[in-house]
Amino acid sequence: MRKQFAELPRMSAFKHKPFLKTGDDKDTLADGKRLRVIVLGGNEEVGRNCTLLEYGNDIIIIDMGLQFPDEDMPGVDYIIPNMSYVKGKEKNIRGVIFTHAHLDHIGAVSHIINKIGNPPMFATDLTCGLINKRHSEYQDKPQLNLRSVKSNDVLRLGSFTVEFFGVAHSVPGSMGIVVNTPCGTIVHTGDFKIDDNPGSQSIQETEKIKALGKRKILAMLADSTNASQPGRQLPEHEIQTNIDEIIEHSQGRLIIGTFSSMISRIQQIIFACERHGRKVAIEGFSMKSNIAIAQELGYMKIQKDTLIDSKRIDDYPRDKVAVVCTGAQGEERAALMRIANREHKTLSIEPGDTVVFSSSVIPGNERMVQRVKDTLYREGADVIHYKMMDVHAGGHAKQEDLQELLGWVRPKYLVPIEGHYSFLMEHAKTAERAGFPHDNIFIADNGQILEFDHKGNGQLTNKKVPTEYVFVDGLGVGDTNRIVLRDRKELSGDGIVIVVAVVETQTGALLNLPDIISRGFIYMKDSQELIQSARRYSAKILKDDNPKSAANPTYMKEKLRDDLGEFLYKKTERRPMILPVIVEV
Amino acid sequence: MRKQFAELPRMSAFKHKPFLKTGDDKDTLADGKRLRVIVLGGNEEVGRNCTLLEYGNDIIIIDMGLQFPDEDMPGVDYIIPNMSYVKGKEKNIRGVIFTHAHLDHIGAVSHIINKIGNPPMFATDLTCGLINKRHSEYQDKPQLNLRSVKSNDVLRLGSFTVEFFGVAHSVPGSMGIVVNTPCGTIVHTGDFKIDDNPGSQSIQETEKIKALGKRKILAMLADSTNASQPGRQLPEHEIQTNIDEIIEHSQGRLIIGTFSSMISRIQQIIFACERHGRKVAIEGFSMKSNIAIAQELGYMKIQKDTLIDSKRIDDYPRDKVAVVCTGAQGEERAALMRIANREHKTLSIEPGDTVVFSSSVIPGNERMVQRVKDTLYREGADVIHYKMMDVHAGGHAKQEDLQELLGWVRPKYLVPIEGHYSFLMEHAKTAERAGFPHDNIFIADNGQILEFDHKGNGQLTNKKVPTEYVFVDGLGVGDTNRIVLRDRKELSGDGIVIVVAVVETQTGALLNLPDIISRGFIYMKDSQELIQSARRYSAKILKDDNPKSAANPTYMKEKLRDDLGEFLYKKTERRPMILPVIVEV
């Protein structure tokens, strides 16, 4: 029997958190069918956002994002939400809705689609365009059943009725979701900031959001990404002003490295270049295709003669052109790195050029970013770091914004989502300071089930559905597990030593001096003495075995692993993985 | 013949940098013996600080620090300066001088001592104490020839005369060095900030430093760690005020995680605790021993009844005690982690306690720090992040400080040291803005030789001595090289697949279906089908070989590596290391 629910193994969150309903076994809700809300990913972490709503035989899913692996997950490409909960219930999925076009909200679709049937999916046109573009990179996957919606559309999905409201974020077409359920109305903000006039074809539908406050919203799930930060997020027009200033004061050729998904920021850069008389060359494949999609759908306004091909850039004075490219994270093959290293076909740095890094550095990339910067300094560039163009900067509500939204929507319950546990807690504290009753704030772990009854009461249960990481690794989805990762980490630490011994099957007698092959342990050419003594020591270990009895490879392997490991540790203070290969002939 | 000098492979720094002497082959210096100054480590990077001065047969070395490995150097413990240049010249080393007691200045001593003879070494008493403590952890190393000096001492070391001046930094006993040479006087600042009253038994000898301005200093080598930061560094008394405020407003038990080498910060924390009536428990082995050494030498003033044993902490009200401990970087076994995880014998968190992280997060540690924080939030702690107690925060001169020092010392040449290339350049630009002539600023790569003649002229030559990384890995110093690291990285990415094939020596005929063992590639238990098909495919590869001819293991191995690698990539899009083992019987 598949174990769908697991008791939460550790109850400290309940014991100590005043914000949590006690969650003990007593069930305070009315009998009858209940609405379940389960955050499958995005809590206790940043990334792989995915939330599930279930009532009877109806399920809808909001977002299917990916997360980038930590440094202790070598070889892993992405982490995606764990969809075990819907196994066997695929036919119940009435729809998947995407809030906006960033990878931590859409990136897992192509990896998950085979596991959830092929339900209808809904998003604004730009989000659809970027989902389709990404999906086209994966062969052998079914075509998506993806439909474009507008913010005034209403969807009937089983017992749910879904509405939308436009929100301000760093990509156009971002929406919050309103789900009317038999137990009450749930609001999911997606990623958002508070900004009445975000520009770039984005629209914050303030009146629609405020109108929610009159509809007795049961619960609001809201973005906690910047909940640790006091005050208010910068409005987009100020970000635009800052970008204008940087571009106005740039010397020489201007090169701006940013993310290709930051459609609104790229638009602002292009606006500023147009105002300051710079032509713009776009570099990087994903950058070009994203801009093309956004332009086609009317989400980017670019004057006819603004964009130029980088091949023709030398036709213009250096201070009349700008290059917008990928690579602000020091990615090895991205345009910025190639430009810095003089490996780019048409672009290079001259002294006095200006290079703008438009993002804060993602943990793990510091070394590479510093390396690119140093190279750019050596080439004579002026280097500017402007974090406000970052993925997670500028686009998310800060504490006062969160309080304002709460005042508009006035939900009965608040469920902070999207962020490490500490972010969720800061969100809760922020709400409390604004007078929100702390018993009505649910801080859910990933997978922890929230239930709501028909009387409009909710509780954070102590039941949990599976949310263990699912790794995407090459073509494999979910086949790289903790054991494989543990081995990779062990291998990377001190390498591997393979001992090959040939023994006589009948007697277990060793037929020659065992061979030793190592990789990543020690430089073998310079360590012949150590290798020879390890061979002799291995022979000794194997000869200690009773020569009269038949070979017992399992026992011999274990002995080699332990004793040779100890021998090598004493000699080197390193602990390579020891892999004995016993060949019986 | 040992190749001592290598031409600089890449000349862009010269082509483009207005700050550099052109460094082309024409030698502008007067004939005769010359002073050589070589930064062996600490430029183009942060860490492994080491500078060498040579005149005729006399060498002195300033600092021998270590650097922590980047994330692309798995298994490496430390990086240390490359001392190849002094090979064969060990007897010329008249002395090693340490500026202060931080690991990036003293940490490589125990690993290098065997390679440089055992020259006399000089440092202030606290620095000596901490060097000796560290050295005692390494067995089989010669006793150090280490002598304590005071800032008014004068050393005669061959043709050099060495003086000192006290500087303000985050550890007491920090000194700048003045080296009088036959070609002129060189000043080396060590790590420093400008602060007339640093407290904590530190003394900035301002008058002594200003007096250098009248001595026609030939060149000053100065700390660039914070040269990218405009303005002035916070004075220590303001840092003290900030620490006082944090401690005054802390609720519950106060737990402060910091580095054990931050002697001055720890002193400030203890002062503040005393003022606010908190007893202090010290946790962590290195923390305890460093404090003991500093106390014994009079560098820490602690009231008699301030320190308590953590075993007795429950005898005091929670708001009357503080714990100072290691672990602010999320280190797995450090005290803070154990406290958060309830694994500490005597200490744990209760709701309302305050935890202070006193350092910014070192790249690579973000995940672990966030994990500890989340755990602390779950336990109900208030978590504060105060970066000013950080290793590289608060202790280093910023741009206006650097300009002030230049005005005091008025050297003929400026050599920015200690920092990434971009930091050195920012230092140079800062000096230029203060009117320093840009032709007199030398931005040297590690190992790039600076020469000075008897007429007081200097040049940055285009000759370079070896400075390749030397890795400390377990007991090995320098035996882990780029090939070993490349293998470790390859192993960590997609693991290893070992193919064991037994062939008949005479005919090369395969005697059985090859075995496949993998680690870190795929979870073998769930992948039997793939493994079986890989075995069959390997057999096919090996059988294609001409069965009439004798076995050619080299050829067979190469074929297996290529063809099986391609086979597995097609099936999985992973590229494990393929290691063929051909056993001939």
Side-chain angles (χ1 to χ4, degrees):
Chain A
M1 207 187 77
R2 190 159 50 88
K3 208 176 158 195
Q4 194 166 84
F5 303 111
E7 293 296 314
L8 278 177
R10 192 147 170 289
M11 303 299 290
S12 63
F14 292 81
K15 253 203 239 161
H16 291 301
K17 291 283 71 60
F19 299 111
L20 292 175
K21 300 286 280 185
T22 51
D24 45 29
D25 281 311
K26 78 169 183 287
D27 187 333
T28 57
L29 299 189
D31 284 342
K33 270 208 285 189
R34 291 171 182 185
L35 170 70
R36 284 187 158 176
V37 177
I38 311 174
V39 178
L40 287 176
N43 282 5
E44 312 169 70
E45 60 197 348
V46 171
R48 66 160 186 159
N49 294 291
C50 186
T51 298
L52 179 144
L53 282 78
E54 182 179 37
Y55 181 83
N57 288 327
D58 297 320
I59 288 174
I60 60 173
I61 295 169
I62 299 174
D63 288 334
M64 283 183 181
L66 57 77
Q67 185 175 343
F68 290 98
D70 287 333
E71 60 273 28
D72 69 339
M73 304 168 189
V76 169
D77 301 321
Y78 315 112
I79 306 163
I80 60 174
N82 189 321
M83 304 307 288
S84 309
Y85 181 69
V86 299
K87 203 175 170 188
K89 295 181 176 188
E90 295 83 355
K91 63 177 193 331
N92 293 356
I93 303 174
R94 306 288 160 235
V96 180
I97 303 154
F98 298 97
T99 57
H100 66 286
H102 284 162
L103 285 180
D104 51 339
H105 295 259
I106 64 169
V109 177
S110 305
H111 310 291
I112 283 179
I113 190 69
N114 280 339
K115 311 224 165 178
I116 60 167
N118 198 344
M121 299 183 166
F122 307 92
T124 52
D125 49 0
L126 180 62
T127 309
C128 286
L130 295 172
I131 290 174
N132 277 327
K133 188 205 108 197
R134 190 175 154 82
H135 193 64
S136 71
E137 294 161 15
Y138 292 88
Q139 271 108 45
D140 307 328
K141 293 276 159 69
Q143 210 189 331
L144 299 178
N145 187 0
L146 184 59
R147 304 173 201 178
S148 155
V149 292
K150 291 198 187 324
S151 109
N152 281 327
D153 288 348
V154 176
L155 304 174
R156 276 171 227 291
L157 301 171
S159 42
F160 302 116
T161 308
V162 177
E163 305 162 64
F164 306 94
F165 54 94
V167 294
H169 186 49
S170 48
V171 61
S174 295
M175 297 193 304
I177 317 277
V178 180
V179 186
N180 301 288
T181 83
C183 297
T185 301
I186 307 290
V187 170
H188 184 296
T189 65
D191 286 2
F192 79 102
K193 70 193 283 186
I194 299 287
D195 190 348
D196 252 336
N197 181 23
S200 295
Q201 283 65 55
S202 292
I203 295 154
Q204 172 181 297
E205 296 183 300
T206 314
E207 291 314 311
K208 222 179 190 179
I209 302 171
K210 285 182 178 169
L212 293 171
K214 300 187 186 111
R215 285 170 58 180
K216 293 201 173 175
I217 299 302
L218 178 59
M220 178 164 74
L221 285 67
D223 177 10
S224 310
T225 311
N226 280 3
S228 315
Q229 299 181 30
R232 290 215 171 252
Q233 186 52 271
L234 271 189
E236 290 291 308
H237 70 85
E238 276 190 39
I239 296 177
Q240 178 74 66
T241 305
N242 293 345
I243 292 174
D244 270 80
E245 262 173 38
I246 288 175
I247 290 177
E248 186 182 348
H249 295 111
S250 298
Q251 309 288 315
R253 192 175 282 172
L254 171 64
I255 296 171
I256 303 179
T258 185
F259 288 101
S260 61
S261 61
M262 301 295 288
I263 305 284
S264 304
R265 294 288 168 277
I266 297 170
Q267 171 72 82
Q268 288 169 321
I269 292 166
I270 291 174
F271 280 155
C273 286
E274 288 174 343
R275 273 194 283 274
H276 298 289
R278 285 188 188 257
K279 304 287 179 195
V280 179
I282 308 290
E283 278 301 298
F285 175 73
S286 60
M287 188 76 83
K288 280 182 186 169
S289 57
N290 286 2
I291 290 175
I293 291 169
Q295 241 188 319
E296 198 185 308
L297 294 170
Y299 286 100
M300 283 190 107
K301 303 285 179 211
I302 306 177
Q303 289 171 21
K304 225 178 177 178
D305 54 352
T306 298
L307 296 186
I308 58 168
D309 193 309
S310 65
K311 286 185 200 120
R312 288 191 42 230
I313 202 163
D314 288 329
D315 298 352
Y316 301 85
R318 292 188 87 79
D319 60 350
K320 294 294 173 204
V321 289
V323 178
V324 178
C325 62
T326 52
Q329 291 293 325
E331 301 97 319
E332 208 130 356
R333 291 190 202 165
L336 188 57
M337 181 72 103
R338 285 184 287 125
I339 294 170
N341 288 334
R342 305 184 178 193
E343 290 165 6
H344 195 280
K345 263 186 282 186
T346 50
L347 300 170
S348 65
I349 301 289
E350 288 194 6
D353 287 349
T354 305
V355 179
V356 179
F357 283 75
S358 71
S359 63
S360 53
V361 183
I362 294 174
N365 295 347
E366 293 85 356
R367 182 181 48 86
M368 293 305 290
V369 170
Q370 183 62 49
R371 197 171 291 173
V372 185
K373 272 194 190 172
D374 286 341
T375 309
L376 292 166
Y377 267 88
R378 281 184 194 267
E379 297 289 316
D382 269 325
V383 178
I384 298 170
H385 217 123
Y386 180 61
K387 294 183 183 177
M388 198 43 67
M389 293 193 232
D390 194 12
V391 172
H392 292 298
H396 297 270
K398 295 188 177 181
Q399 291 178 353
E400 289 179 26
D401 303 313
L402 293 170
Q403 290 174 336
E404 179 158 37
L405 181 75
L406 262 186
W408 290 349
V409 179
R410 297 193 295 152
K412 180 169 179 185
Y413 297 102
L414 173 67
V415 185
I417 58 170
E418 300 181 4
H420 296 290
Y421 188 85
S422 62
F423 297 8
L424 307 181
M425 278 295 290
E426 290 293 343
H427 193 164
K429 288 182 187 176
T430 298
E432 265 215 289
R433 282 196 300 274
F436 202 87
H438 87 213
D439 281 354
N440 287 14
I441 304 173
F442 295 141
I443 303 216
D445 281 352
N446 281 328
Q448 194 173 359
I449 298 174
L450 290 157
E451 286 185 344
F452 298 92
D453 66 17
H454 283 259
K455 296 186 170 173
N457 291 312
Q459 69 180 4
L460 180 60
T461 72
N462 63 352
K463 302 262 197 273
K464 196 177 177 313
V465 310
T467 55
E468 290 73 30
Y469 281 165
V470 176
F471 298 117
V472 176
D473 183 358
L475 293 181
V477 176
D479 61 343
T480 295
N481 59 20
R482 291 278 167 193
I483 293 170
V484 174
L485 285 187
R486 190 201 59 199
D487 283 349
R488 285 185 192 167
K489 276 182 278 180
E490 192 181 336
L491 287 166
S492 78
D494 286 323
I496 188 166
V497 168
I498 299 153
V499 191
V500 185
V502 183
V503 299
E504 222 260 337
T505 311
Q506 296 304 314
T507 62
L510 190 64
L511 294 182
N512 53 15
L513 196 59
D515 270 322
I516 297 236
I517 308 163
S518 88
R519 289 291 184 276
F521 164 54
I522 208 158
Y523 191 53
M524 284 184 75
K525 277 191 190 165
D526 292 349
S527 314
Q528 279 311 309
E529 203 179 311
L530 177 69
I531 300 294
Q532 291 308 323
S533 66
R535 292 178 72 186
R536 288 190 299 271
Y537 192 80
S538 303
K540 190 165 154 278
I541 295 167
L542 294 170
K543 276 177 189 158
D544 276 351
D545 203 27
N546 181 354
K548 295 284 153 56
S549 64
N552 179 347
T554 310
Y555 170 75
M556 290 162 94
K557 279 182 192 171
E558 262 173 37
K559 205 153 180 309
L560 262 179
R561 206 173 284 132
D562 293 347
D563 293 2
L564 183 61
E566 207 43 50
F567 174 84
L568 292 175
Y569 182 75
K570 270 189 197 142
K571 296 271 186 191
T572 64
E573 286 195 6
R574 299 180 198 176
R575 291 204 182 279
M577 183 186 280
I578 310 277
L579 199 80
V581 175
I582 309 273
V583 179
E584 297 175 70
V585 294
Chain B
M1 208 187 75
R2 192 159 49 90
K3 207 176 160 195
Q4 196 167 81
F5 302 110
E7 292 297 313
L8 278 178
R10 190 150 171 288
M11 303 299 291
S12 63
F14 292 82
K15 250 202 237 162
H16 289 302
K17 291 283 72 60
F19 299 110
L20 291 175
K21 298 287 279 188
T22 52
D24 45 28
D25 281 311
K26 78 168 181 286
D27 187 333
T28 56
L29 299 189
D31 283 341
K33 269 208 287 190
R34 291 172 182 185
L35 170 70
R36 284 187 160 175
V37 177
I38 310 174
V39 178
L40 287 175
N43 281 4
E44 312 170 71
E45 61 199 346
V46 171
R48 64 159 186 161
N49 293 292
C50 185
T51 297
L52 179 144
L53 281 77
E54 183 179 35
Y55 181 83
N57 288 327
D58 297 319
I59 288 174
I60 59 173
I61 296 170
I62 299 174
D63 288 334
M64 282 185 184
L66 57 77
Q67 185 174 343
F68 291 98
D70 287 334
E71 61 274 25
D72 69 339
M73 304 167 190
V76 170
D77 301 322
Y78 314 112
I79 305 163
I80 59 173
N82 189 321
M83 305 307 289
S84 311
Y85 181 69
V86 298
K87 203 174 169 187
K89 297 183 175 186
E90 295 83 355
K91 62 174 194 332
N92 293 357
I93 303 174
R94 306 285 160 241
V96 180
I97 303 153
F98 298 96
T99 57
H100 66 286
H102 284 161
L103 285 180
D104 51 340
H105 295 259
I106 63 169
V109 177
S110 305
H111 311 292
I112 284 178
I113 190 69
N114 280 340
K115 312 225 163 176
I116 60 168
N118 197 344
M121 299 183 168
F122 308 90
T124 53
D125 50 359
L126 180 62
T127 308
C128 287
L130 294 171
I131 291 174
N132 277 326
K133 190 205 107 197
R134 191 176 153 83
H135 193 63
S136 71
E137 294 163 14
Y138 292 88
Q139 270 108 45
D140 306 329
K141 294 276 157 69
Q143 210 189 328
L144 300 177
N145 188 359
L146 185 60
R147 305 171 200 179
S148 156
V149 291
K150 291 198 188 323
S151 108
N152 282 327
D153 289 348
V154 175
L155 304 175
R156 280 175 222 291
L157 302 172
S159 42
F160 302 116
T161 309
V162 178
E163 306 161 63
F164 307 94
F165 54 94
V167 294
H169 186 49
S170 48
V171 61
S174 296
M175 296 192 306
I177 318 276
V178 181
V179 186
N180 301 288
T181 83
C183 298
T185 300
I186 308 289
V187 171
H188 184 297
T189 64
D191 287 2
F192 79 102
K193 69 193 284 185
I194 299 287
D195 190 348
D196 252 335
N197 181 22
S200 297
Q201 283 65 53
S202 292
I203 296 154
Q204 172 180 298
E205 296 182 301
T206 315
E207 291 315 312
K208 221 177 190 181
I209 302 172
K210 286 182 177 167
L212 293 170
K214 299 186 188 110
R215 286 171 57 182
K216 294 203 174 173
I217 299 301
L218 179 59
M220 178 165 74
L221 286 67
D223 177 9
S224 310
T225 312
N226 280 2
S228 314
Q229 298 179 30
R232 290 216 172 250
Q233 187 53 270
L234 272 188
E236 291 291 309
H237 71 85
E238 275 190 38
I239 295 177
Q240 178 75 65
T241 305
N242 293 345
I243 292 175
D244 271 80
E245 261 173 39
I246 288 175
I247 290 177
E248 185 182 349
H249 294 110
S250 298
Q251 308 289 314
R253 192 175 281 171
L254 171 65
I255 296 170
I256 302 179
T258 185
F259 288 99
S260 61
S261 60
M262 301 295 287
I263 305 284
S264 304
R265 294 287 169 277
I266 298 169
Q267 171 72 83
Q268 288 169 320
I269 292 166
I270 291 173
F271 280 155
C273 286
E274 288 173 343
R275 273 194 282 275
H276 298 289
R278 285 189 188 256
K279 304 289 179 195
V280 179
I282 309 291
E283 278 301 300
F285 175 74
S286 61
M287 188 74 84
K288 280 182 187 169
S289 57
N290 285 2
I291 290 175
I293 291 168
Q295 241 187 320
E296 198 186 307
L297 295 169
Y299 286 100
M300 283 189 107
K301 303 285 179 211
I302 305 178
Q303 288 171 23
K304 225 177 177 180
D305 55 351
T306 297
L307 296 186
I308 59 169
D309 193 308
S310 65
K311 286 187 201 118
R312 288 190 44 229
I313 203 163
D314 288 329
D315 298 352
Y316 301 86
R318 292 187 88 80
D319 60 349
K320 295 293 173 205
V321 290
V323 178
V324 178
C325 61
T326 52
Q329 291 293 325
E331 301 96 321
E332 209 131 356
R333 290 189 202 166
L336 188 56
M337 181 71 103
R338 286 184 287 124
I339 295 170
N341 288 333
R342 304 184 178 193
E343 289 165 7
H344 195 280
K345 263 185 283 184
T346 50
L347 299 169
S348 66
I349 301 289
E350 288 193 6
D353 287 350
T354 304
V355 179
V356 180
F357 284 74
S358 71
S359 63
S360 53
V361 183
I362 294 173
N365 295 346
E366 294 85 357
R367 184 181 47 88
M368 293 306 289
V369 170
Q370 184 62 48
R371 197 172 291 174
V372 186
K373 273 194 191 171
D374 286 340
T375 310
L376 292 166
Y377 267 87
R378 281 184 195 268
E379 297 289 316
D382 269 326
V383 179
I384 297 170
H385 218 123
Y386 180 61
K387 295 183 185 176
M388 200 41 70
M389 293 192 232
D390 195 12
V391 172
H392 292 299
H396 297 270
K398 295 188 176 180
Q399 291 176 355
E400 289 180 25
D401 303 314
L402 293 169
Q403 290 174 336
E404 179 158 35
L405 181 76
L406 262 184
W408 290 350
V409 180
R410 297 193 295 153
K412 180 168 179 186
Y413 296 102
L414 173 66
V415 184
I417 57 169
E418 301 181 4
H420 296 292
Y421 188 85
S422 62
F423 298 7
L424 307 181
M425 277 295 288
E426 290 294 342
H427 192 164
K429 289 183 187 175
T430 299
E432 265 216 288
R433 283 195 301 272
F436 202 88
H438 86 215
D439 280 353
N440 286 15
I441 304 173
F442 295 141
I443 302 216
D445 281 350
N446 280 328
Q448 194 173 357
I449 298 173
L450 289 157
E451 286 184 346
F452 298 91
D453 66 17
H454 283 257
K455 297 190 170 169
N457 290 313
Q459 69 180 6
L460 180 60
T461 72
N462 63 353
K463 301 265 198 271
K464 195 177 178 311
V465 309
T467 55
E468 290 73 29
Y469 281 163
V470 176
F471 299 115
V472 177
D473 183 357
L475 292 180
V477 176
D479 60 342
T480 295
N481 60 19
R482 291 278 167 196
I483 294 170
V484 174
L485 285 187
R486 189 201 58 198
D487 284 348
R488 285 184 191 167
K489 276 183 278 179
E490 191 182 337
L491 287 166
S492 78
D494 286 321
I496 188 168
V497 169
I498 299 152
V499 191
V500 185
V502 183
V503 300
E504 223 261 339
T505 311
Q506 297 303 315
T507 63
L510 190 64
L511 294 183
N512 54 15
L513 196 60
D515 269 322
I516 296 235
I517 309 164
S518 89
R519 289 292 184 273
F521 165 53
I522 209 160
Y523 190 53
M524 284 184 77
K525 277 191 188 163
D526 293 350
S527 314
Q528 277 313 308
E529 204 179 310
L530 177 69
I531 300 294
Q532 291 308 323
S533 66
R535 291 179 71 186
R536 288 191 299 270
Y537 192 80
S538 303
K540 192 165 155 276
I541 296 168
L542 293 171
K543 276 176 189 159
D544 277 350
D545 203 26
N546 181 356
K548 296 283 155 56
S549 64
N552 180 347
T554 310
Y555 170 75
M556 290 163 97
K557 279 182 191 170
E558 261 173 37
K559 204 156 182 308
L560 262 180
R561 207 173 285 132
D562 293 348
D563 294 2
L564 183 61
E566 206 44 51
F567 175 84
L568 292 175
Y569 182 73
K570 269 189 198 143
K571 295 271 184 190
T572 64
E573 287 194 6
R574 300 179 199 176
R575 292 203 181 279
M577 182 186 280
I578 309 278
L579 199 81
V581 175
I582 310 273
V583 179
E584 297 175 70
V585 293

